[in-house]
Amino acid sequence: MKRNSRLSLALHTLSHMAGEPGRVRTSADIADHAGTNPVVVRRVLGKLRQAGLLTSEKGHAGGWQLAKAADSITFADVYLALDERLVAGSGGEAEPSHCSVETGLQARVSEVLHDIEASLVERLRETTITDVHPSSCSYCGS
Amino acid sequence: MKRNSRLSLALHTLSHMAGEPGRVRTSADIADHAGTNPVVVRRVLGKLRQAGLLTSEKGHAGGWQLAKAADSITFADVYLALDERLVAGSGGEAEPSHCSVETGLQARVSEVLHDIEASLVERLRETTITDVHPSSCSYCGS
DNA sequence: ATAAATGCAACATCCATTGTTACATAGACT
DNA sequence: AGTCTATGTAACAATGGATGTTGCATTTAT
């Protein structure tokens, strides 16, 4: 895994689940397929569960599963569930500065970044999890 | 300094220069005002010089100054000169994956991020360096 | 010559993300 | 009950990118 990894991992996993909705997957299985660690998987998917996109069951035969129809989950839902900010600096406020140039600057830049972040979310809202599942998929068997 | 720092430093410095175009500033002066290090300043401003936005002179009485009119320098020029990518993952290609789901996913996400990056640049193109210089500025005296 | 500036390389520090280990807890099966 | 397998979570290690720092060569005005 490298960059953008939380969002990639989340979308990747959800997409596979969309291809085989009934199947319960363990974090170990998912981690193995994604080339990462079960704890990392649980961290990421835990956020999706908090957002109501997934359910998890503990104990024997436990694991993870979609909480709702795949075509009702958009990329934006996933993105927002993860608290990611792909637009650097679009969250958080500018530090106060004694310099009026700096202050005015930050205000302008922040405004632009905030707008761009919003339009990113709008774009992500156009795609659902079902939109990316190809006909040939060795993992889910479809 | 914290995050977004290269762009902030660049815009901040250029804005001050816009208020007093004739004045030559050393990297030490600039670093002092911005609360950072002269070497960092030279690194950042060096990129702006490569892009033709600034000139620098070595030796005694050397320093930095605008290479062209402040109102002909947009935020986009500065942003592009720095090779920053404020939209994470919008640059670089996806790593090849054995998994077709992953591949399709990356393609979609990359497309969106690329578009968003482009619209960020468009937004930045709307503002020039002169647009952020306030009437009261202790540093440049204007 | 000397002083003052940039240019640049090499290294150190910091910080966020990811990866790892360990363990408590919960549920299914015998 | 007891065991096995899973999640949940905390604590810590490793990694990587950005920033900060030091040192020195080079250039230029005095």
Side-chain angles (χ1 to χ4, degrees):
Chain A
M1 295 211 103
K2 290 192 180 173
R3 157 164 311 168
N4 234 138
S5 47
R6 294 208 301 275
L7 182 61
S8 289
L9 174 58
L11 292 175
H12 186 176
T13 303
L14 289 172
S15 299
H16 281 303
M17 287 173 166
E20 219 177 349
R23 176 167 165 190
V24 174
R25 290 157 209 256
T26 67
S27 56
D29 287 345
I30 296 166
D32 190 50
H33 178 72
T36 184
N37 190 287
V39 177
V40 174
V41 170
R42 273 175 254 159
R43 261 185 223 154
V44 171
L45 300 194
K47 294 259 194 184
L48 303 186
R49 184 191 52 221
Q50 286 173 20
L53 307 181
L54 286 177
T55 60
S56 65
E57 292 294 332
K58 289 183 175 180
H60 197 129
W64 301 83
Q65 192 169 9
L66 291 180
K68 51 197 236 184
D71 63 5
S72 73
I73 301 175
T74 70
F75 280 21
D77 295 327
V78 179
Y79 176 71
L80 294 174
L82 295 178
D83 288 323
E84 288 218 340
R85 286 297 116 92
L86 255 39
V87 179
S90 64
E93 289 309 299
E95 323 159 30
S97 170
H98 62 94
C99 172
S100 58
V101 169
E102 181 68 13
T103 305
L105 208 46
Q106 294 295 355
R108 290 229 182 197
V109 172
S110 290
E111 185 190 350
V112 171
L113 292 178
H114 191 273
D115 287 355
I116 292 295
E117 171 79 23
S119 63
L120 170 59
V121 172
E122 285 314 301
R123 281 294 302 272
L124 293 176
R125 204 177 296 285
E126 295 168 5
T127 306
T128 76
I129 295 300
T130 55
D131 294 336
V132 288
H133 199 264
S135 50
S136 63
C137 175
S138 57
Y139 182 56
C140 78
S142 75
Chain B
M1 294 211 103
K2 290 192 180 174
R3 158 165 309 168
N4 236 139
S5 47
R6 293 208 302 275
L7 183 60
S8 289
L9 173 58
L11 291 175
H12 186 176
T13 303
L14 289 171
S15 298
H16 280 302
M17 287 173 165
E20 216 176 351
R23 173 167 166 192
V24 174
R25 290 157 209 254
T26 68
S27 56
D29 287 343
I30 296 166
D32 189 51
H33 179 70
T36 184
N37 190 289
V39 178
V40 173
V41 170
R42 281 183 291 226
R43 261 186 221 151
V44 171
L45 300 195
K47 294 259 193 186
L48 303 186
R49 184 191 52 220
Q50 285 173 22
L53 307 180
L54 285 179
T55 59
S56 65
E57 293 294 333
K58 289 182 175 180
H60 197 127
W64 300 82
Q65 90 192 102
L66 291 180
K68 50 197 238 185
D71 64 4
S72 71
I73 301 175
T74 70
F75 281 21
D77 295 328
V78 179
Y79 177 70
L80 294 173
L82 295 178
D83 287 324
E84 288 218 341
R85 284 299 113 93
L86 255 38
V87 179
S90 64
E93 288 309 299
E95 322 158 30
S97 170
H98 62 93
C99 173
S100 59
V101 169
E102 181 68 13
T103 305
L105 207 46
Q106 294 295 355
R108 289 229 182 200
V109 173
S110 290
E111 185 189 349
V112 172
L113 292 178
H114 192 272
D115 288 356
I116 293 296
E117 171 79 23
S119 63
L120 170 59
V121 172
E122 285 313 301
R123 281 294 302 273
L124 293 176
R125 205 177 297 284
E126 295 169 4
T127 306
T128 75
I129 295 300
T130 55
D131 294 336
V132 288
H133 199 262
S135 50
S136 62
C137 175
S138 57
Y139 183 57
C140 79
S142 76

